[in-house]
């Protein structure tokens, strides 16, 4: 009897076990020590703006037939749930390749088992979890045997067609026209409405709600502190003038079809001169004028991986940070595992230093001196460290499962001296990496201590130079008790463990399934910590503010306009890389 026939006749548990064996064989991987967590699935399977992009259906005579309507539906499901792991072109990213040369020999029935039951190696059980019904499982099994559709490229002509200078530089204010304390404004992403909220950190009042791209990923501030740049996952960049009577957009552009990163030049003599954005699709970055967003130079990132030296067709640009030591941008190229030091001194004759790191580079930030940049290669479970002054790799540090530091957290450890900290998506561990190679050489560039937090599903970790607290969120943990609260450690006594603060309860929000607590963010003074209470777009959300010294509730901001608040950034701390 065939495996599939056995599955149909067996008891459900036995069927699941056999199906997992089939899927595991398909993945050609050994079962890992820790199976894929719900947090990882939520993180990797986030919807892509490419789901709505027009793509050509290339009829493959060897593949199972699909109507145009079926193909388009399957393509949408793929980009909403699968592209984050398997790649736009299905050639593999953090997940295995799913190209026709692999999928066609397996056949539709085999693939249906794989999709429905998942695999211990990391494939989610899309069918048995209820995310896809049997008809959709069948649809996806046929879709992955088709020739992968290629999204359109996005070059200079396409960028310039979207570029708008709403208020030219010579028509902008010559001095600040408002009374806001710009250093203590927070830029808060309203994920599902395509907006950011500018909130006065002093009065706790909303200054304005500004239209942006979809699901703004980050907010960055120009070196002068005048301009705020935000980038949506749809690669739309908005440039906001904070000197206006009511801060608003003065320029905008789309630099691709999907993106995550933007920053501006910070080196002395180049303040506010350039902006840079990196795209997930097409795989490239673009340098723009810092006062108008006019695109000047596009650089593709397609190339060879650092480990196997094989060509990768879609290495996405993840985090970008601006160097304080040279006129350079530090650019993470995710799938090839390269850190590019892009020198913007002469962009007509652009020079780049390519530093081999580790595959799946994602986010990261500076140490306390702003000399060393620490970047997480999340699916490789590594932190790559680069000396921005010398332009050289310092070390590759092994950490726990799927580090996700955001920008990380810098403080002085009681034993190890200056450290940079990261939490993890895939485990409860918090790792402290020594960053002082002079006075604390024995602990430099290694994990000097690792402690346990509440659980996996961490996205952001934060402290402040004036604080003795370390805050760790867990918004992607499946346990509501964990993702609705925050863990806080005393830096001077880390072994004492953490206190849990009931942030969701303090927000006073009602509703089942509401309220993931995300991204602790300090005000400029370092005496308040702000949290987003992230609920669905049809549920109430809020911002909760905690007194850093007493750990008591200080304020709650509620407003019908605060729809799906996620990331939020204090402008002063963001401008000066204080974390």
């Amino acid at each position: 009897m065939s495996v599939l026939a056995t599955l149909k006749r067996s008891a459900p548990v036995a069927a699941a076990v056999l199906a997992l064996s089939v899927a595991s064989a398909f993945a050609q991987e050994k079962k890992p020590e820790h199976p894929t967590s719900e947090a990882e699935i939520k993180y990797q399977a986030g919807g892509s703006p490419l789901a709505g992009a027009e793509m050509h259906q290339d009829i493959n005579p060897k593949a199972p037939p699909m109507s145009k309507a079926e193909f388009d539906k399957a393509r949408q499901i793929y980009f909403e749930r699968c592209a984050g792991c398997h790649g736009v072109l299905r050639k593999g990213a953090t997940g295995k390749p799913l190209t026709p040369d692999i999928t066609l020999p397996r056949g539709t029935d085999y693939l249906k088992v794989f999709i429905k039951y998942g695999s211990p190696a990391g494939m989610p059980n899309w069918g048995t979890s209820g995310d896809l019904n049997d008809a959709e499982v069948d649809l996806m099994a046929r879709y992955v045997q088709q020739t992968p559709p290629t999204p359109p490229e996005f070059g200079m002509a396409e960028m310039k067609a979207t570029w708008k200078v709403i208020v030219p530089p010579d028509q902008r204010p010559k001095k600040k026209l408002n009374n806001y304390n710009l250093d203590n404004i927070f830029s808060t992403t309203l994920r599902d409405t395509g907006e950011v909220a500018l909130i006065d950190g002093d009065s706790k009042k909303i200054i304005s709600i500004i239209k942006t791209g979809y699901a703004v990923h980050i907010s960055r501030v120009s070196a002068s502190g005048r301009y705020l740049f935000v980038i949506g996952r749809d690669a739309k960049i908005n440039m906001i003038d904070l000197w206006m009577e009511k801060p608003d957009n003065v320029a905008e552009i789309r630099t691709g079809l999907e993106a995550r990163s933007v920053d501006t030049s910070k080196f002395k003599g180049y303040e506010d001169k350039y902006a840079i954005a990196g795209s997930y699709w097409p795989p490239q970055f673009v340098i723009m004028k810092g006062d108008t967003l006019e695109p000047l130079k596009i650089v593709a990132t397609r190339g060879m991986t650092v480990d196997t030296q094989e060509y990768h067709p879609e290495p996405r640009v993840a985090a970008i940070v601006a160097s304080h030591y040279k006129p350079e941008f530090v650019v993470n190229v995710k799938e090839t595992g390269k850190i590019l030091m892009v020198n913007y001194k002469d962009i007509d004759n652009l020079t780049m230093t390519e530093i081999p790191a580790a595959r799946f580079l994602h986010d990261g930030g500076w140490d306390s001196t702003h000399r060393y940049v620490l970047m997480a290669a999340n699916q490789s479970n590594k932190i790559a460290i680069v000396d921005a002054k010398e332009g050289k790799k310092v070390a590759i540090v092994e950490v726990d499962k799927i580090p996700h530091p955001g920008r990380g957290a810098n403080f002085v450890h009681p034993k190890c001296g200056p450290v940079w900290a990261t939490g993890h998506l895939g485990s409860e561990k918090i790792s402290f990496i020594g960053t002082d190679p002079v006075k604390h050489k024995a602990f430099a560039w290694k994990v000097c201590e690792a402690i346990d937090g509440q659980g996996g599903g961490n996205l952001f970790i934060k402290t402040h130079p004036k604080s003795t607290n370390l805050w760790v969120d867990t918004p992607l943990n499946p346990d509501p008790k964990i993702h609705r609260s925050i863990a806080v450690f005393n830096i001077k006594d880390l072994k004492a463990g953490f206190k849990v603060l009931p942030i969701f309860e303090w927000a006073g929000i009602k509703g089942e399934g509401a309220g993931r607590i995300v991204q602790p963010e300090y005000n400029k003074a370092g005496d308040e910590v702000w949290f987003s209470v992230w609920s669905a777009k049809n549920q109430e959300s809020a911002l909760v503010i905690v007194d850093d010294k007493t750990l008591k509730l200080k304020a709650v901001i509620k407003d019908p306009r605060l729809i799906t608040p996620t990331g939020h950034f204090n402008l002063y701390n963001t401008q000066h890389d204080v974390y």
Side-chain angles (χ1 to χ4, degrees):
M1 184 181 292
S2 70
V3 169
L4 290 168
T6 301
L7 285 175
K8 290 177 182 177
R9 298 187 180 188
S10 303
V13 173
V17 171
L18 284 169
L20 288 173
S21 299
V22 172
S24 185
F26 173 77
Q28 296 181 343
E29 292 183 3
K30 293 180 180 179
K31 183 175 178 178
E33 290 183 21
H34 306 289
T36 304
S37 68
E38 183 179 326
E40 294 166 63
I41 293 170
K42 288 179 179 293
Y43 177 69
Q44 295 289 356
S48 165
L50 290 172
E54 279 296 322
M55 298 182 206
H56 173 67
Q57 179 182 0
D58 182 6
I59 305 297
N60 186 338
K62 296 181 180 180
M66 293 190 81
S67 68
K68 178 68 163 57
E70 285 181 319
F71 184 87
D72 287 342
K73 180 179 179 181
R75 179 175 60 81
Q76 182 176 1
I77 292 172
Y78 179 83
F79 281 102
E80 286 178 348
R81 299 180 183 272
C82 314
C85 279
H86 297 287
V88 169
L89 303 177
R90 302 211 311 263
K91 290 183 179 290
T94 54
K96 291 290 183 180
L98 291 175
T99 45
D101 60 310
I102 297 170
T103 54
L104 276 171
R106 304 294 179 178
T108 300
D109 286 338
Y110 199 103
L111 293 167
K112 283 165 65 175
V113 172
F114 179 62
I115 295 168
K116 182 169 184 175
Y117 292 97
S119 89
M123 175 72 173
N125 55 325
W126 293 113
T128 56
S129 68
D131 289 286
L132 299 178
N133 59 37
D134 285 345
E136 290 169 331
V137 167
D138 175 78
L139 184 71
M140 297 311 296
R142 288 183 287 134
Y143 174 78
V144 295
Q145 297 175 74
Q146 311 291 323
T147 301
T150 302
E153 297 293 325
F154 209 88
M156 187 62 75
E158 288 80 8
M159 288 186 196
K160 286 195 170 180
T162 70
W163 173 47
K164 297 178 183 178
V165 180
I166 300 163
V167 182
D170 60 0
Q171 296 178 24
R172 296 173 196 166
K174 301 299 185 287
K175 61 180 182 179
K176 190 163 79 81
L177 299 182
N178 58 63
N179 294 321
Y180 298 117
N181 175 10
L182 300 187
D183 284 348
N184 205 32
I185 287 177
F186 287 76
S187 174
T188 298
T189 295
L190 305 180
R191 185 185 186 280
D192 292 340
T193 62
E195 298 169 321
V196 294
L198 296 186
I199 302 174
D200 183 351
D202 294 342
S203 69
K204 313 296 188 289
K205 302 292 186 183
I206 295 176
I207 295 170
S208 58
I209 304 288
I210 298 175
K211 283 292 181 184
T212 62
Y214 169 72
V216 162
H217 193 67
I218 57 170
S219 298
R220 290 292 182 261
V221 183
S222 66
S224 69
R226 174 171 182 173
Y227 294 109
L228 173 66
F229 296 79
V230 301
I231 187 165
R233 291 183 63 172
D234 57 1
K236 183 178 181 181
I237 302 171
N238 289 80
M239 179 180 179
I240 298 164
D241 188 352
L242 300 169
W243 280 14
M244 298 171 72
E245 186 173 356
K246 186 177 182 181
D248 207 345
N249 290 314
V250 293
E252 64 180 40
I253 192 172
R254 283 192 74 187
T255 57
L257 298 177
E258 183 172 3
R260 297 293 189 280
S261 53
V262 67
D263 212 335
T264 68
S265 52
K266 291 184 177 179
F267 187 66
K268 187 176 181 180
Y270 294 87
E271 297 93 338
D272 294 24
K273 185 171 184 179
Y274 295 118
I276 183 173
S279 296
Y280 268 29
W281 187 270
Q284 62 192 29
F285 64 84
V286 58
I287 298 174
M288 301 159 281
K289 283 187 177 180
D291 60 350
T292 64
L293 298 181
E294 179 184 357
L296 301 173
K297 187 86 169 184
I298 304 172
V299 180
T301 55
R302 294 176 171 102
M304 316 307 284
T305 61
V306 296
D307 45 10
T308 58
Q309 298 288 297
E310 294 176 292
Y311 178 75
H312 200 291
E314 52 167 308
R316 298 172 285 185
V317 177
I320 299 176
V321 297
S323 174
H324 300 261
Y325 273 86
K326 294 179 184 178
E328 287 182 337
F329 294 117
V330 185
V331 178
N332 279 356
V333 186
K334 194 176 181 83
E335 276 71 29
T336 54
K338 297 174 182 177
I339 297 175
L340 305 179
M341 311 298 283
V342 180
N343 191 300
Y344 52 76
K345 185 176 181 179
D346 179 2
I347 66 168
D348 289 328
N349 300 284
L350 193 71
T351 59
M352 294 189 294
T353 300
E354 180 182 293
I355 299 175
R359 293 186 69 187
F360 314 121
L361 289 163
H362 192 63
D363 56 351
W366 297 103
D367 80 310
S368 59
T369 69
H370 295 161
R371 173 172 175 172
Y372 301 98
V373 65
L374 297 94
M375 295 295 193
N378 53 19
Q379 291 291 336
S380 295
N381 305 329
K382 294 177 172 66
I383 302 293
I385 305 169
V386 172
D387 183 342
K389 183 178 180 180
E390 299 296 332
K392 295 180 180 179
K393 178 172 63 179
V394 173
I396 302 290
V397 181
E398 294 277 349
V399 290
D400 218 77
K401 192 176 182 185
I402 312 184
H404 193 286
R407 289 164 289 176
N410 291 299
F411 64 93
V412 178
H413 187 279
K415 176 182 175 183
C416 308
V419 297
W420 178 91
T422 182
H424 298 80
L425 252 169
S427 86
E428 74 285 355
K429 295 296 182 183
I430 301 160
S431 298
F432 306 130
I433 297 173
T435 58
D436 180 7
V438 178
K439 295 181 180 180
H440 298 82
K441 187 175 181 179
F443 303 108
W445 318 133
K446 61 184 69 173
V447 176
C448 66
E449 185 180 5
I451 60 175
D452 290 347
Q454 286 202 85
N458 165 250
L459 288 181
F460 298 99
I461 185 169
K462 192 62 63 73
T463 188
H464 189 277
K466 296 181 180 179
S467 174
T468 59
N469 292 323
L470 178 69
W471 303 82
V472 185
D473 71 11
T474 41
L476 296 187
N477 193 288
D479 185 342
K481 291 182 180 178
I482 295 177
H483 70 236
R484 287 181 168 187
S485 61
I486 196 79
V488 56
F489 293 83
N490 181 346
I491 290 169
K492 294 182 178 180
D493 188 13
L494 293 165
K495 293 188 184 301
F498 54 84
K499 294 180 180 179
V500 176
L501 303 188
I503 303 297
F504 177 79
E505 180 183 319
W506 286 352
I509 290 174
K510 306 296 183 184
E512 187 177 345
R516 295 179 183 271
I517 309 306
V518 64
Q519 194 160 343
E521 182 77 357
Y522 276 88
N523 63 345
K524 180 191 175 185
D527 58 10
E528 291 178 355
V529 190
W530 292 44
F531 302 91
S532 287
V533 183
W534 171 23
S535 302
K537 61 184 177 181
N538 60 345
Q539 296 174 316
E540 187 178 30
S541 292
L543 298 178
V544 170
I545 301 157
V546 175
D547 186 295
D548 184 66
K549 288 185 172 54
T550 66
L551 305 186
K552 302 295 185 183
L553 175 65
K554 191 168 184 178
V556 177
I557 302 175
K558 289 184 180 179
D559 190 290
R561 296 172 292 173
L562 289 179
I563 299 170
T564 59
T566 52
H568 49 179
F569 302 84
N570 174 268
L571 299 193
Y572 179 88
N573 294 337
T574 301
Q575 176 189 353
H576 296 280
D577 292 315
V578 176
Y579 38 83

